[in-house]
Amino acid sequence: MPFRWSARATQTVSAAAMSALLMASAMKHFREPRFFEQVVPDYLCREAPIAGGQSPEGREIPATDGVRRPLAVMSREEWIAVSGLLEAGAAVGLLIPGIRRATATAVTAMFTVFLAGHVDALRRAYGPAGSPAQRNVHAVRLPLQLPLILWAWSLRKPGRRR
């Protein structure tokens, strides 16, 4: 008896693949947080982008650059950790058929919000402190958001039963 792919099976496999991608990214947030530092916009961070020295214990002290940031509710490290936790939660949620639609909607919104960070990172890469390597990396990362947004949105549709 040959196996026939139904819309429901395709939906489940697609959700599992997105879940695996999100979980891998979530784990990278905690293993290599520096990879995500450039994608967190400065205007969301309590500290300035340049460190202000070290404490007696050897920890970096954030510098203040005199700019008021009304959206700065967390440090860059906290934003990275929170986004990693959100991605891990979304990875689990996509695997549960009963909440897949709501999770896919949230993942679509999350990827759409992440666009701001990718645009800001690309803007800074082309600024005076940017490097050719940063320009290349962010020029690739930004357009990858659109397929991710569309993929997450497609997971909102329930698979048809046959």
Side-chain angles (χ1 to χ4, degrees):
M1 174 180 242
F3 179 78
R4 290 180 23 175
W5 278 101
S6 67
R8 189 172 193 188
T10 302
Q11 175 81 358
T12 300
V13 169
S14 183
M18 172 72 77
S19 176
L21 179 79
L22 285 167
M23 190 55 78
S25 178
M27 291 183 337
K28 189 171 180 88
H29 276 76
F30 297 102
R31 282 194 205 137
E32 297 178 49
R34 291 190 61 95
F35 180 78
F36 298 95
E37 283 181 354
Q38 294 179 352
V39 187
V40 181
D42 291 339
Y43 57 82
L44 291 178
C45 301
R46 283 192 310 243
E47 76 277 1
I50 300 166
Q54 289 191 345
S55 70
E57 298 86 33
R59 284 203 260 135
E60 273 194 28
I61 301 171
T64 56
D65 58 0
V67 176
R68 188 170 186 283
R69 296 184 172 97
L71 298 175
V73 294
M74 292 188 281
S75 69
R76 189 172 309 277
E77 293 78 17
E78 291 167 337
W79 279 112
I80 293 168
V82 166
S83 62
L85 289 173
L86 288 172
E87 288 182 357
V92 172
L94 288 174
L95 297 176
I96 303 169
I99 62 170
R100 184 174 296 149
R101 181 178 172 92
T103 304
T105 302
V107 171
T108 302
M110 180 177 70
F111 284 149
T112 303
V113 168
F114 286 174
L115 275 173
H118 289 288
V119 168
D120 188 62
L122 188 61
R123 179 192 59 79
R124 282 185 279 124
Y126 277 93
S131 68
Q134 290 173 332
R135 290 182 195 110
N136 291 337
V137 166
H138 296 299
V140 170
R141 282 176 88 173
L142 176 62
L144 285 176
Q145 288 303 112
L146 182 60
L148 289 172
I149 290 167
L150 295 174
W151 183 12
W153 185 257
S154 75
L155 294 175
R156 296 178 70 250
K157 302 175 197 133
R160 287 180 242 117
R161 294 180 188 223
R162 282 190 165 171

